[in-house]
Amino acid sequence: REKLVEIAAEATDELIEKKRFTAANKLPTNEFKGLKVDGAGNVYAYWDSGYVIHPIGSSVWQVNRPSSEDFGDCDAGTGMAGVQDMALDPTTGQLAFALSGGVVFKRGDDWLCWPIGAGMLDAPVRVLEIAANGDVWIGTERGASWYNDEAGWRSFIAPAALTNGVVTEIDVSDDQRVFIKAGAWTQITLESGTFERGVEHRKDVADVSPYFEDAVFPVEKILIDGD
């Protein structure tokens, strides 16, 4: 059976679009690794050779294939194949990718590389999150680093702040509560500089059961049927 990709983009409780796309009708591949939806409902998805942008409500899929040279020192020559995570600035819509050697940001037609060890922890990057206020959170194999335009860089490592050093998820809520998963979830309160390890946390989900057979999925999700 052909692999199928279904994308659901929602605005409040109203379904904007529900369509099924494959390499047979619109997509350059069926092997996507991640997907994000921006504040306007536009869809971004990436795979080992590039990324696509789908303006919601249109029939257009913009295909982009950056080369390894575009990412400078951040990818060790791997290009898009080395991307570990993708993030979008909720305010500006700026696109960013996490690579083992750092983080790259799209600026006009160019990519800006933030290498590891230059403010952030000197360790391979695994997770990337951009908060609504523009703060950048980077999860690495040694802990997490936070960048704020006014405060600069700050890092959080085990055992002082995290259960262990390998960060697998970061979630920043709308009210700027920060949750970092490194073994267990840790909640960080930036104002007081306190950490609470071992907290229970579940990312915000949307009930899309009217459209996906009584299932609950994260808002940003690629649903891929197996072979």
Side-chain angles (χ1 to χ4, degrees):
R1 190 160 55 121
E2 185 180 30
K3 290 187 176 181
L4 301 176
V5 178
E6 292 183 357
I7 298 175
E10 293 192 348
T12 62
D13 295 327
E14 180 183 358
L15 183 72
I16 299 175
E17 177 178 339
K18 178 179 183 283
K19 295 181 180 178
R20 180 168 290 189
F21 301 96
T22 74
N25 59 7
K26 286 288 184 182
L27 302 178
T29 180
N30 290 321
E31 303 296 331
F32 285 99
K33 297 167 64 177
L35 178 147
K36 294 286 185 182
V37 180
D38 68 14
N42 302 313
V43 176
Y44 295 69
Y46 74 94
W47 80 104
D48 278 344
S49 299
Y51 66 96
V52 295
I53 304 173
H54 172 52
I56 201 69
S58 78
S59 61
V60 175
W61 287 83
Q62 302 168 9
V63 179
N64 305 271
R65 301 176 189 269
S67 71
S68 59
E69 295 178 356
D70 292 329
F71 294 159
D73 296 330
C74 278
D75 67 342
T78 59
M80 287 296 301
V83 172
Q84 302 295 311
D85 198 8
M86 175 176 62
L88 290 170
D89 187 310
T91 303
T92 67
Q94 186 178 31
L95 175 65
F97 291 120
L99 299 117
S100 61
V103 174
V104 293
F105 292 85
K106 189 78 164 67
R107 178 174 291 177
D109 294 331
D110 299 321
W111 292 90
L112 174 67
C113 168
W114 280 7
I116 59 175
M120 74 181 79
L121 290 167
D122 191 2
V125 177
R126 298 181 57 148
V127 181
L128 178 63
E129 184 76 15
I130 303 177
N133 66 351
D135 286 3
V136 179
W137 288 88
I138 299 168
T140 78
E141 295 182 2
R142 285 187 52 218
S145 293
W146 164 56
Y147 178 79
N148 173 275
D149 285 339
E150 296 181 359
W153 286 100
R154 183 177 177 186
S155 292
F156 306 90
I157 61 174
L162 307 177
T163 305
N164 68 49
V166 180
V167 175
T168 56
E169 291 186 69
I170 297 177
D171 187 32
V172 183
S173 65
D174 291 340
D175 58 0
Q176 299 303 303
R177 291 181 298 149
V178 181
F179 298 88
I180 299 175
K181 188 173 185 180
W185 284 102
T186 293
Q187 180 175 346
I188 296 177
T189 304
L190 293 173
E191 292 81 0
S192 61
T194 57
F195 317 104
E196 184 180 357
R197 288 182 290 270
V199 300
E200 292 187 5
H201 178 60
R202 181 170 178 263
K203 287 189 175 182
D204 293 337
V205 296
D207 183 2
V208 294
S209 56
Y211 317 106
F212 292 107
E213 300 178 354
D214 298 324
V216 175
F217 301 107
V219 174
E220 297 170 352
K221 179 78 172 178
I222 290 182
L223 311 176
I224 302 179
D225 293 340
D227 290 327

